[in-house]
Each structure stands twice: as structure tokens, then as C-alpha cells.
Amino acid sequence: MADQIQRFIFDRADVRGEIAQLDAAYRQIIGRSEQSPAVQQLMGEGLVAAALLAATLKYPSALTLQLQSTGPLSLLLIQVGSDGTMRAMARTRGEVPANARLDEQASQGTLAITIEPEDGGERYQGIVDLSGGSLAAALEHYFAESEQLPTHVWLSADPERAAGLLLQRLPGPDGGPARDEDAWERAGQLAATVTGAELRELSADAVLHRLFHEEDIRLFEPSPLRFGCRCSRQRVADMLRSLGADELRETLAEQGQIQVHCDFCNEPYRFDAVDVEALCVDPTTRAAPSDTSH
């Protein structure tokens, strides 16, 4: 198994698809958090969902999938870059029930999908509810409402791997009728026979052969997916500086040092007394270089 996304199209029909599979990258991400198996499964589904969404974008963009609710799963946040780097975090209030509907795990929840073009173009956000009972159903609703594109999504995750399949009906050439009127329904019926274990354990080629061996399928070059966090000591320092000198010195006096863990990768950043004093210095008050010769 490889950490990658495989795009494909039906050569004689207006249908496209993607298979996203996560192996080592998924274990690396969930291994950095202390979450229950139920939450890890949701993180896995969210990671492949975000990868599938990002692969449908026309231009290089950063995509954020954010689920918020008043239920046991209060927050699920997934970020994927156009270079395939991804990270995830989750917050809970109480135990998240396993094998339950998503609208029970995240009651009164909403799913926000934010797209930020890397060229600085206009930011886009779409929001859907979780009434469909699963993350896959929420994504299908998102495409129907925001993109007006009929879409089927299948997601699966276990403690070792996560995978997903997306099928999408495209407009006919130049907006005309579809080249194969029955292809969309046929593709959906065939894809619906896939199991979660097959998605997770078979290669993308094997899954496509199992489902669509009687169709003319064209594969694109697979794109790698990997864990990558954007945290840094400088970013943490900037955050601490925004708290103000009084709060920083008070925290230092109480704890002896200030320690911050990244919510995504759990990397620790420690600041001792010397570091804190450096943060407390207003850069605008630092002495300018002397003109005196030595």
C-alpha cells in the first residue's frame, strides 16, 4: 500500500473518479494524538475525504475540512495542501460512541469546507449539516448543493489504514448531452459493491479492475500523500508574544518554564526564562546600532 491518490476517468463516458489510500502517513498522524479508536477512525475518514476533495480542485489550493458540533466530537480539523501534505486534530467532550451515526457523535454539527488558492485568489467556504449520518453523506450533500455535480463517496478507516473512493458525473461535452447516458448509473452500481476492506487493503489498480474491468478507464499519474505540519518555534513564539509580557512572566513564575504542544503533531516547544524575556522585549524599543567607531 502507498500513501497516494489515484485519479481516473471513463474514456467513453462523462464520469471521473479518485481513490485515496493512506497507510504509513495515517498511522503517523493518529500516532501523534491520544484519541480513542472511534475518533481515530473519524480522523482517518476525514483525511481521505479532504484528499479526495483537494484532488477535484482546478488550481493549487490549501483545503481545510472543519467539523464542529455540540456533541461528544466537538471539533475535527483536517488540512491538506496541494503538495499532498496533510495533518489532523480532534477535540472531544466525553466519550465518542463507536459505530454510531455521525450526527450522534457530533450532534447539531456542521461541516465547513474552506478552499484557499495558493496564488492569493479569493477564499471560498461551503457549509453543510451532518443530517446524512456519515461524513461521506455530508460530502455528497456538499457537492450537490455547492458544485451541482452528482457525486458518490465511500470512506473507510481502521487502526492501520484509511481509504476512500469518489465518483463524479461530469457535464457532457460543451454542455451537451452525456456521451453514455447509462454510464453514471452503471458506475454507481458497480462502485457500491466495494467493501471497506477492499478499499483499504487492495491497491488502487486492483480496486479499479475489480469494479470496472468492463469499462474503458484511463489512469493518471498518482499523487503522493504525506504527513506534514506547519508548526514552528517561530510561530509559537509569535503566538506567545501576543499574550503580553505580564501574562508570560506570570506563567513562567508559576511553572518554571512555558511549554506549548502543537495540537496537530504534538511537538513540544519549551521556553525558559531567557527565552521569555526575549519575547517580552518590544522590537521597536531595541537600541539602534551605534555610529560610534571602535
Side-chain angles (χ1 to χ4, degrees):
M1 286 288 293
D3 296 289
Q4 66 180 28
I5 186 159
Q6 174 70 70
R7 296 170 55 241
F8 61 92
I9 61 172
F10 284 55
D11 255 344
R12 302 178 185 275
D14 301 307
V15 180
R16 70 176 176 185
E18 305 158 1
I19 296 178
Q21 295 179 313
L22 290 173
D23 186 34
Y26 169 54
R27 292 193 296 275
Q28 188 176 8
I29 291 171
I30 64 173
R32 290 175 174 265
S33 64
E34 297 181 358
Q35 299 290 353
S36 68
V39 177
Q40 290 181 351
Q41 179 179 342
L42 289 169
M43 291 175 71
E45 292 181 2
L47 285 162
V48 291
L52 292 170
L53 284 167
T56 67
L57 302 178
K58 296 180 180 179
Y59 306 105
S61 303
L63 184 142
T64 299
L65 186 153
Q66 180 172 314
L67 184 158
Q68 290 182 290
S69 85
T70 61
L73 179 67
S74 59
L75 174 67
L76 176 65
L77 185 61
I78 313 287
Q79 295 179 333
V80 178
S82 59
D83 61 353
T85 58
M86 49 176 44
R87 61 181 187 171
M89 62 165 288
R91 290 177 181 162
T92 61
R93 52 170 71 89
E95 183 177 353
V96 176
N99 303 317
R101 287 171 55 94
L102 182 60
D103 46 5
E104 297 172 359
Q105 297 171 319
S107 52
Q108 298 181 349
T110 57
L111 180 68
I113 298 165
T114 306
I115 300 167
E116 299 180 80
E118 292 183 356
D119 63 3
E122 184 177 358
R123 179 175 177 267
Y124 166 83
Q125 185 176 77
I127 299 177
V128 295
D129 61 35
L130 306 179
S131 57
S134 69
L135 186 55
L139 294 183
E140 291 178 356
H141 182 52
Y142 163 77
F143 277 109
E145 293 294 318
S146 301
E147 307 293 333
Q148 286 79 53
L149 288 174
T151 304
H152 296 314
V153 180
W154 293 266
L155 304 173
S156 180
D158 67 9
E160 296 295 321
R161 301 182 183 92
L165 168 65
L166 177 146
L167 279 184
Q168 201 162 66
R169 183 175 186 176
L170 301 175
D174 301 320
R179 289 176 293 168
D180 183 342
E181 292 288 349
D182 299 326
W184 172 243
E185 182 176 355
R186 187 171 67 247
Q189 291 175 346
L190 290 170
T193 66
V194 75
T195 67
E198 288 174 327
L199 277 178
R200 297 189 309 269
E201 297 169 10
L202 298 180
S203 68
D205 287 350
V207 172
L208 291 175
H209 179 74
R210 212 289 265 153
L211 297 177
F212 307 123
H213 61 276
E214 295 185 355
E215 306 287 339
D216 292 323
I217 300 294
R218 188 196 316 172
L219 301 181
F220 295 89
E221 192 69 22
S223 300
L225 299 169
R226 63 184 184 277
F227 165 69
C229 192
R230 299 197 297 269
C231 73
S232 68
R233 185 173 179 84
Q234 183 58 53
R235 291 191 177 195
V236 174
D238 291 341
M239 180 275 293
L240 292 175
R241 190 178 289 111
S242 69
L243 299 177
D246 290 343
E247 183 170 346
L248 290 179
R249 287 172 175 143
E250 181 179 343
T251 303
L252 179 67
E254 293 175 354
Q255 302 178 5
Q257 68 173 358
I258 296 178
Q259 180 167 298
V260 178
H261 284 81
C262 173
D263 286 334
F264 286 97
C265 68
N266 206 31
E267 185 73 20
Y269 293 94
R270 298 178 178 86
F271 296 80
D272 60 18
V274 174
D275 298 325
V276 170
E277 284 307 311
L279 293 176
C280 293
V281 174
D282 186 344
T284 62
T285 65
R286 291 174 181 168
S290 174
D291 292 332
T292 305
S293 298
H294 295 280

